[in-house]
Amino acid sequence: MLKVTDLHVYYGGIHAIKGISLSVKEGQIVSLIGANGAGKSTCLNTICNLVNNSKGKISFLDRDITSAPPHKIVKLGVAQVPEGRKVFPQMTVAENLDMGAYVRKDKSGVRHDMGKVYKLFPRLLERKNQLAGTLSGGEQQMLAIGRGLMAKPRILLLDEPSMGLAPLLVREIFSIIREINSLGTTILLVEQNANMALSIANYAYVLETGRIVLEGEAKVLAADEKVKAAYLGG
Amino acid sequence: MQPVFGFALFAVFVALIVVLARNKKRFPANPISSFFFGFIIVLLAIGAANYFMVAISANRLYFWQQTIYGVSLGSVYALIALGYTMVYGIVRLINFAHGEIYMIGAYAGFFGVTSLGFPFYFALIFAMLTAALAGVIVERIAYKPLRKAPRLAVLITAIGMSLLLQNVGQKIFGSIPRSFPRQFTGLYRIGEINLDQSRVIVFAVTFLLMVALQYFVTFTKPGKAMRAVSQDRDAAQMVGVNVDRTISLTFFVGSLLAGAAGILVAIVFPQIRPTMGLMPGLKAFVAAVIGGIGIIPGAVLGGLIIGVSENLVTAYISSSWRDAIAFGLLILILLVKPSGILGRNTREKV
Amino acid sequence: MNKHPNKIYASPILIFLGFAALIYINLQVSLDRVNFYVIGVLSVVAINIILTVSLNLINGITGQLSIGHAGFMAIGAYTTALFSIHLGTPIYFNLLVSGIAAGFVGFLIGLPTLRLRGDYLAIATLGFGEIIRVILQNLRFTGGAAGLGGIDWVDNFYLTQFMAIVVVIVVWRIGASAPGRAMVAIREDETAAETVGINTTKFKVMAFALGSFGAGIAGSLFAHRMTYIAPDGFTFMKSIEVLVMLVLGGLGSITGAIFSATLLTVLPEFLRFIDEWRMIIYPALLVTVMIFRSQGLFGTMELDFARVKSILKKVAPENLGPEKGKSNPPMQKIKALGFDSQEQKPILETKDLSISFGGLKAVKNLDMQITQGSLHGLIGPNGAGKTTVFNMLTGVHLPSSGEILFNGQRIDGNSPYSVAQAGIARTFQNIRLFKDLTVLDNVKVAFHLHADYGLGTAVARPPKFGAAERRITSEAKELLEIFKLGDHCMTIARNLPYGAQRRLEIVRALAVSPKLLLLDEPAAGMNVLETEKLMELIHWVRDEFDLTIFLIEHDMSLVMKLCQTISVLDYGMKIFEGTPEQVRKDPRVIEAYLGEEVS
């Protein structure tokens, strides 16, 4: 459903992404792993057209979205949960979720989905009226994911959801990601925690200095000696 | 002699605050110096309070009268400051041309009342819409092409726009001041305090507009988008906010308020001229900074503080010191709490 | 090699043309061929050049946005007026006193204000400028709003010209000296400047005071020319006028400043025939220039012949040769600190170190010791607080509680520059080079501690200056050579390939001659081969420069092979410390970071 063909990105004078091609099939969890600075986040940002200086083709549901403005891309059903959460710090939890549904017009549907998000993250319901900036890191991550879901996306792009979270929380977040996927949302997951990412993904790409160096079924990759050595701490 | 004494006191006070602010890091570690400075500050505060109490107790009524005038002047500053603060919050730009938008509002109101023969409230709306249109045009022409340019370039452009509008104003409206026809001449009395009808109306309209703004920003969708963009532009894009349109909208709303300020000020001080925007514009900006730039209640608070203190300085010291108080307060605030009274401290990410 | 944006040097042809014009004008004046009006305009041109070039020192070179320059000009003008009226002192004396008065006020104002950054600083300078004016308006001895008249009229056409040339030369020379490089570094990246040991406050205040000094001189000349001054000649609009001249020419460019000060003074005179439109055309022009060329006419460049050629030829920005390998660096010794490396004493120690941001504890009760001469690694998941630890060690963040000891001395609470001077240098996770400076200048900035001369030497340029500069340049080149960056000396840092930028950052850190080097994710964004080379490099640097190295890294293979001791940070707490082998096996580490074995 999402297809990236021969993508190049130039970023602050640096050729950050050097010809990436990848595709995500409906209903899958696809994971993009690699070290810091390998270009994972740049890749996601380019899909959402937040980064301009790019060459190549990106299509979603057979529509060319390479140069569509970011807000149109969201309307088509691509929601991103950014690296570092990026919740709106001066808004309450409920307002943040409401912002997530910004492109939607069906009020009852929004209310229904808000209920679903609260069911998924009971902690957010408890803190409904708290300012997002005062939440803990884990709660902010939940809120960011919840906000992404509120757009009722066909595909959810997750950027480093485990960043800065305690191991227990990471596990919780990942089980929720799996749950979201089982409820019918396709997921493209960018992760540094390769172990976790490979454990829930169907398919994975390994990114190194702007190039895809390896791709395959997540299970196969997890067993790969090279991957183990470089990313799984051998 | 008294005014000089008061100001000398103020100057010493500022100097001490400066010293304190600079030593903040190690200050508490040294009990002797903290005691010493604390002692001097208390002494100075008592001295300053004493000075003002003497002045006030001589004529208590006069004090309250001036304070009330200050509130109505301050509410006009607040209206202008809101535009500054909203624009700054969303694009981090000190929109120097904002004072000229306010001038345009005053002239639009003037022509609305005189040439077009509108009733006042109709002219008010006319002034607001004209100013808003001007604001959006300025944004589209001058600022939008510079969205990724260095901040200084945009700042200079804003200054250029300010000058341009001022001079185009001179060309179109002539440099001779015009007299805004008197609108409200009534006088209310509460106890022994006089309230001109015009000042009451200024205050009432300002208050209504602020309530409307608060409602707009808190509950409507475009208002929420505005807040979202100012808090995190990337995240706002990610949830599907059209950032360019939201920025234009911010200029629209901010200019709407400046336009209202323009005509409101004209019913109290009926002289309008093309250069009228410069000083109020600067002071309103100062108000926004004092309250905490980017924060809507902060702009209102800052506007009121400046309005009241200006009026009190005029009343008790001299009108020629009036322009200094706003900037003096500004520097004091910047040195003690650069993010403003209601501002939050931000830290740079390294 | 035509790209020297921040290198301030004079092109012979330009100087020749400038002098030709000057001589021509002076000849005309001395032959009485020029009327009084034109002489007046020319004097104003010179005064505006002084104002603009002195503001360039603050805004352009040091990058501190000041929009209150007219206030300092006013101080100069009033000082001159008072001396001239009451004491009848000669103009040369008045010039000096006015400059000193304005410089002193600049110093006083700069000290507290320059803590502020960006817009806030601009607003504060605006405020001070206005307050100076209001005070002048209200004091009796300055004549109130009416101002002061009866200042000695001096035909100072030649003197004004001379002063303009002096100011240009002084600013030019400061720009091309160690203090000037420190100022430019502050403009480029204040945080990075501090971490190479630059006392940013000192240099900012210095630039501010000197710039104000220049404005004072301009004010003095102005007063003697006009014989009458009033506060409304020094309003906010005057400050803006000067700023506009500066920005139009291009911030940081002295030739640009001269050019646009001349243009903007003379142009309105020519536009007099369309007088009523003049004030519309002028700002419209300004806005247009900003929209289409927002870096100003000259950018930070200096106009010189070589540059004109390069524009004509349109040299491609990135014409770098292939990056050379960097294995087996030559065993060349630069600096031996000569300590006994057998001793196992800690060079750095933290005790119960904590910091919180907005209620969230980012680092909790960290106790850590780094042995002298060791290679120590710090690992942990993203967001665990590793970089925060670095920021505390280097004084960028003030710890909420706890102690940091460096060679047994407490350094917590010290500002970053003094930490750097004490001997801790660092690199940054997201590479913070002075991006618009050349590679060589990046290193020379960091050598600034080695420059044993001050501002006076920089301006007067005795032989000592040349010797010091040559030494700095050769040392910097030598260091670059070792790291295979010698060929890129004149390349702008931002145009370097990624790996070379990382190396340059390490070179810059080494130029501070540290005893402890902190590397924040040196291998980020490198592929396996590059990482391997980097490992060799780090090892070699440690041995060759007698350093202790403390590094944050995600690349496990690098950390495991390189480090003797590894501390693991998770959620702000140190959960484990030991040798790579121990770390690999520890269950807590596996759970937090390495992850459980995949089932």
Side-chain angles (χ1 to χ4, degrees), chain B residues 6 21 68 70 91 104 110 127 167 177 189 202 213 224 316 320 328 331 334 345:
Chain B
I68 285 171
V91 284
I104 289 172
F110 173 79
N167 289 304
R189 284 184 76 83
V202 167
L213 179 71
K224 285 180 193 167
Y316 288 102
S320 57
I331 285 160
L334 282 181
N345 283 315

Side-chain angles (χ1 to χ4, degrees), chain C residues 188-413:
Chain C
E188 292 293 313
D189 189 331
E190 201 170 330
T191 307
E194 281 203 306
T195 59
V196 296
I198 292 169
N199 182 347
T200 51
T201 312
K202 180 180 135 194
F203 283 103
K204 283 196 280 184
V205 172
M206 194 191 275
F208 202 72
L210 282 173
S212 308
F213 187 95
I217 289 178
S220 174
L221 291 165
F222 178 79
H224 273 301
R225 172 146 289 278
M226 296 300 164
T227 71
Y228 163 77
I229 51 169
D232 55 6
F234 308 101
T235 54
F236 173 59
M237 284 319 297
K238 181 69 193 172
S239 298
I240 291 303
E241 200 187 311
V242 181
L243 182 68
V244 164
M245 286 175 183
L246 178 60
V247 174
L248 190 71
L251 268 176
S253 162
I254 295 175
T255 36
I258 297 171
F259 176 78
S260 67
T262 312
L263 181 76
L264 289 185
T265 317
V266 174
L267 191 67
E269 303 299 328
F270 281 114
L271 289 176
R272 274 200 197 282
F273 68 96
I274 36 170
D275 200 37
E276 46 189 335
W277 291 99
R278 187 162 66 112
M279 286 310 289
I280 293 176
I281 294 172
Y282 180 85
L285 201 67
L286 178 70
V287 172
T288 317
V289 169
M290 281 298 116
I291 292 176
F292 293 105
R293 193 168 163 78
S294 54
Q295 70 274 43
L297 294 174
F298 288 48
T300 52
M301 313 271 175
E302 296 298 347
L303 182 71
D304 60 67
F305 194 61
R307 166 129 192 90
V308 174
K309 260 201 313 205
S310 86
I311 292 169
L312 294 179
K313 275 199 214 150
K314 283 211 184 260
V315 176
E318 262 180 287
N319 49 355
L320 299 168
E323 192 189 335
K324 290 177 188 167
K326 53 178 176 294
S327 50
N328 296 325
M331 289 296 163
Q332 192 176 354
K333 208 155 181 171
I334 288 278
K335 212 150 253 126
L337 292 161
F339 60 85
D340 189 2
S341 56
Q342 296 309 308
E343 224 176 305
Q344 289 285 307
K345 63 174 184 189
I347 185 167
L348 187 85
E349 197 174 354
T350 68
K351 285 181 186 162
D352 205 24
L353 196 63
S354 299
I355 189 168
S356 30
F357 298 124
L360 273 173
K361 270 206 165 179
V363 173
K364 290 171 213 155
N365 313 97
L366 181 69
D367 286 306
M368 197 162 55
Q369 291 196 343
I370 295 172
T371 317
Q372 186 146 39
S374 68
L375 265 164
H376 196 120
L378 182 63
I379 63 170
N382 261 349
K386 303 182 299 289
T387 299
T388 308
V389 171
F390 267 30
N391 284 340
M392 284 191 286
L393 295 182
T394 50
V396 174
H397 291 341
L398 187 67
S400 315
S401 63
E403 289 179 17
I404 303 168
L405 297 163
F406 179 59
N407 278 331
Q409 303 264 323
R410 271 190 79 165
I411 57 162
D412 50 289

Side-chain angles (χ1 to χ4, degrees), chain C residues 323 326 431 485 496-504 526 530:
Chain C
E323 192 189 335
K326 53 178 176 294
I431 310 188
L485 287 162
L496 279 181
Y498 186 77
Q501 290 197 17
R502 285 247 172 244
R503 262 182 297 151
L504 177 57
M526 291 190 172
E530 284 174 313

Side-chain angles (χ1 to χ4, degrees), chain A residues 76-94:
Chain A
L76 287 173
V78 182
Q80 185 179 356
V81 180
E83 182 181 357
R85 278 80 89 167
K86 281 181 171 285
V87 294
F88 300 113
Q90 307 302 324
M91 290 189 189
T92 64
V93 168

Side-chain angles (χ1 to χ4, degrees), chain C residues 13 105 351 354 391 474 574:
Chain C
I13 289 182
V105 174
K351 285 181 186 162
S354 299
N391 284 340
S474 73
K574 188 170 88 175

